[in-house]
């Protein structure tokens, strides 16, 4: 494989490709590679590329031409990148978007082009319910799910009053709705911040004045790093327990902290210690390739590649859209999370777990698997989905 770079419509594209051949499968990976959310996109990209590399540059027995674009966390840039990949490059699959507002900005254009989109993260409620689409599959989760799991855990701990914090964008609103779906105590404050915000002094003061017994926060990437640092500096980690979804206390976040922020409880559908052969291989090979522990985002990129590979292997002609849809729905691949199946809306049915931030044997922060929260959990929106057939 060789890496080539081109510049089109202001979007930097990196092409991981074997020599062009008729049987090659083209995959467009548009993700966030710059700005506060860059760590998330880099992990998705690295996880996806690792799966291709470990399969000898192939997925499903076919050589992969992987074209990667930086969406810069901007809707217009994302639209330009997707338009190029669909109209000029004629990709067979699209993947990679981190943020749901970007997914919603390009979704209809992707579906109109009859290009299958396999999400490595963004799981907006719109595409889980009445707007479900035969060309959209989420290999990760539905936006509410990790938050539902933490809502269930906080409820089980008997916490009476909580303050909630999330960015003001679709996934942020889904996150707090998910938490409240299972937490039945009193929400004393519900705070929405700017997407990409890094200074939380005002919000922390508001939380302190709220009378909350605990805080539930969803801030991915650099936002989460900044908040946890400032929350810890205010001395609140020891006095006001912080509960978060896995994304807000994942390896990419922990690498940016001071090393003292232990005890944060977080919910997840994947963990480093999950005891299955695919996960053990993934964790070992990721650390070998990139010299760091994989994050939840990296696991989702890896699984998305394997899912696409399972469809490629099952369908001789990818122009047969109905056959591709059926192959993706079957999800015949070994996931790093273990058991996983698609619901009727193309979102996962899977287990969710509790993790705790601890100091590892190397003295660095990491996550320790505590135990299950949900078994075979489904999202709340599938009942509103009337899935059509591709073609």
């Amino acid at each position: 494989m060789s890496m080539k770079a081109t510049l089109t419509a202001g979007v930097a594209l990196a092409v991981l490709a074997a020599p062009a051949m008729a049987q090659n499968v083209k995959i467009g990976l548009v993700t966030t590679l710059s700005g506060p959310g860059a760590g998330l996109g880099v992990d998705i990209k690295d996880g996806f590329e690792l799966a291709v590399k470990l399969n000898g540059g192939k997925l499903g027995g076919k050589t992969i031409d992987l074209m990667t674009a930086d969406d810069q966390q901007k809707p217009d840039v994302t639209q330009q990148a997707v338009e190029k990949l669909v109209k000029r490059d004629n990709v067979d699959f699209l993947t990679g978007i981190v943020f749901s507002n970007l997914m919603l900005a390009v979704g209809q254009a992707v579906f109109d082009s009859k290009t299958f989109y396999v999400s490595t993260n963004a799981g907006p409620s719109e595409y889980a319910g009445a707007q479900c689409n035969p060309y959209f599959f989420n290999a990760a989760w539905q936006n509410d799910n990790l938050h539902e799991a933490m809502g269930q855990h906080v409820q089980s701990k008997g916490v009476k009053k909580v303050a909630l914090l999330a960015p003001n964008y679709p996934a942020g609103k889904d996150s707090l709705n998910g938490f409240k779906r299972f937490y039945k105590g009193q929400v004393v404050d519900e705070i929405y911040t700017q997407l990409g915000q890094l200074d939380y002094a005002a919000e922390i003061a508001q939380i302190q004045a709220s009378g909350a017994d605990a805080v539930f926060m969803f801030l991915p990437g650099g936002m989460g790093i900044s908040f946890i640092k400032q929350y810890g500096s205010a001395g609140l980690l020891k006095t006001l327990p912080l509960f978060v979804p896995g994304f807000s206390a994942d390896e990419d976040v922990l690498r940016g902290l001071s090393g003292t922020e232990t005890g944060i409880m977080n919910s997840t559908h994947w963990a480093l210690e999950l005891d299955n052969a695919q996960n053990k291989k993934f964790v070992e090979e990721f650390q070998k390739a990139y010299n760091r522990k994989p994050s939840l985002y990296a696991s989702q990129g890896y699984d998305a590649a394997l899912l696409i590979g399972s469809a490629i292997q099952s369908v001789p002609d990818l122009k047969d859209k109905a056959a591709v849809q059926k192959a993706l729905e079957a999800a015949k691949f070994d996931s790093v999370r273990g058991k996983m199946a698609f619901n009727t809306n193309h979102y996962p049915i899977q287990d969710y777990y509790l993790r705790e931030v601890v100091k590892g044997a190397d003295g660095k922060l990491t996550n320790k698997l505590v135990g299950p929260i949900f078994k075979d959990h489904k999202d709340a929106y599938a009942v509103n989905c009337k899935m059509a057939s591709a073609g």
Side-chain angles (χ1 to χ4, degrees), residues 71-119:
D71 61 36
Q72 301 176 34
Q73 209 173 323
K74 298 176 181 178
D76 59 334
V77 175
T78 309
Q79 290 166 341
Q80 292 168 19
V82 167
E83 182 177 6
K84 176 195 174 295
L85 289 164
V86 169
K87 293 184 178 179
R88 197 185 83 178
D89 298 313
N90 297 309
V91 294
D92 299 292
F93 297 91
L94 283 164
T95 189
I97 290 177
V98 178
F99 295 93
S100 290
N101 61 317
L102 304 183
M103 186 69 245
L104 291 168
V106 300
Q108 195 56 53
V110 172
F111 307 152
D112 289 346
S113 74
K114 297 187 176 181
T115 304
F116 283 98
Y117 192 94
V118 176
S119 180

Side-chain angles (χ1 to χ4, degrees), residues 87-298:
K87 293 184 178 179
R88 197 185 83 178
D89 298 313
N90 297 309
V91 294
D92 299 292
F93 297 91
L94 283 164
T95 189
I97 290 177
V98 178
F99 295 93
S100 290
N101 61 317
L102 304 183
M103 186 69 245
L104 291 168
V106 300
Q108 195 56 53
V110 172
F111 307 152
D112 289 346
S113 74
K114 297 187 176 181
T115 304
F116 283 98
Y117 192 94
V118 176
S119 180
T120 53
N121 190 65
S125 56
E126 289 86 347
Y127 295 160
Q131 296 179 46
C132 64
N133 192 282
Y135 290 97
F136 182 82
F137 286 78
N138 190 294
W141 65 316
Q142 194 279 316
N143 281 351
D144 300 24
N145 293 157
L146 294 190
H147 318 291
E148 290 173 336
M150 189 48 73
Q152 175 63 33
H153 173 68
V154 174
Q155 176 67 23
S156 73
K157 298 297 288 184
V159 177
K160 301 298 184 184
K161 297 183 291 183
V162 299
L164 308 180
L165 181 78
N168 190 13
Y169 80 120
K173 294 176 181 177
D174 284 349
S175 73
L176 299 193
N177 286 335
F179 181 89
K180 291 183 291 184
R181 189 170 291 122
F182 285 83
Y183 176 71
K184 304 306 179 184
Q186 182 183 358
V187 176
V188 295
D189 208 346
E190 188 166 330
I191 305 167
Y192 287 98
T193 69
Q194 293 296 312
L195 189 62
Q197 181 174 325
L198 298 177
D199 183 355
Y200 296 98
E203 287 79 7
I204 289 172
Q206 188 173 337
I207 288 168
Q208 288 178 292
S210 70
D213 299 319
V215 175
F216 172 73
M217 172 275 283
F218 165 57
L219 292 168
M223 295 180 287
I225 293 171
S226 295
F227 179 84
I228 293 173
K229 279 184 173 180
Q230 293 164 43
Y231 194 81
S233 295
L236 297 182
L237 283 174
K238 292 181 173 62
T239 61
L240 195 56
L242 181 63
F243 297 95
V244 303
F247 297 115
S248 295
D250 210 358
E251 296 301 325
D252 63 299
V253 172
L254 299 183
R255 286 192 293 270
L257 299 180
S258 69
T260 63
E261 298 88 348
T262 57
I264 299 172
M265 308 304 292
N266 61 97
S267 51
T268 183
H269 56 277
W270 170 84
L272 290 163
E273 311 100 308
L274 287 183
D275 189 14
N276 66 74
Q278 186 71 272
N279 192 50
K280 290 178 179 178
K281 175 183 177 182
F282 163 65
V283 172
E284 179 183 353
E285 294 292 343
F286 190 94
Q287 291 182 102
K288 188 187 302 181
Y290 304 113
N291 196 32
R292 68 181 191 275
K293 292 178 182 178
S295 68
L296 196 55
Y297 294 96

Side-chain angles (χ1 to χ4, degrees), residues 3 22 31 80 88 109 129 167 245 267 276 337 368 370 376 386:
M3 192 71 74
T31 196
Q80 292 168 19
R88 197 185 83 178
S267 51
N276 66 74
R337 77 201 88 172
K368 179 182 73 174
V370 176
D376 297 325
K386 296 180 179 179

